[in-house]
Amino acid sequence: MKMITAIIKPFKLDDVRDALEDAGIRGITVTEVKGFGRQKGHTELYRGAEYVIDFLPKLKIEIAAPDDQVETIVDTLLQTAGNNKVGDGKIFIQNLEQVIRIRTGETGEEAI
């Protein structure tokens, strides 16, 4: 099992969610986050005053998945979350040792 974490631009969420659903992927967690990478933020003008936005708004999507779905999820994220521009985001894949469904006590892939 793997935990797939993707950091994406907020306006891409609906496209990503629809594409994951079409690919048969169920169960995602979305968190609003702020951060920066190579994009490094930007400056904006408000009422004549210029100010720097260091941390940009992003969304973090987390998906616990069996090994056989990882490639499908990553391909779907790559196709739908990007614009071929700086700041499109990142995908992280980590091993997931154990999953336990609280309601039933199921473990492993059955709990996903």
Side-chain angles (χ1 to χ4, degrees), residues 47-62:
R47 294 189 177 184
E50 190 173 287
Y51 63 99
V52 177
I53 297 177
D54 292 328
F55 294 98
L56 301 171
K58 302 286 183 176
L59 293 179
K60 178 168 75 170
I61 298 174
E62 295 173 301

Side-chain angles (χ1 to χ4, degrees), residues 31-101:
T31 309
E32 292 181 10
V33 295
K34 292 183 179 188
F36 68 91
R38 292 184 181 162
Q39 194 176 8
K40 298 181 185 171
H42 62 278
T43 59
E44 287 191 4
L45 198 59
Y46 179 72
R47 294 189 177 184
E50 190 173 287
Y51 63 99
V52 177
I53 297 177
D54 292 328
F55 294 98
L56 301 171
K58 302 286 183 176
L59 293 179
K60 178 168 75 170
I61 298 174
E62 295 173 301
I63 306 167
D67 291 331
D68 62 345
Q69 289 184 340
V70 172
E71 187 175 337
T72 301
I73 293 168
V74 170
D75 289 344
T76 302
L77 290 168
L78 288 172
Q79 292 171 11
T80 57
N83 284 328
N84 291 324
K85 295 182 181 174
V86 173
D88 278 349
K90 297 259 189 317
I91 300 171
F92 305 96
I93 302 170
Q94 301 169 323
N95 287 324
L96 191 57
E97 279 189 40
Q98 184 64 282
V99 177
I100 302 168
R101 186 183 311 252

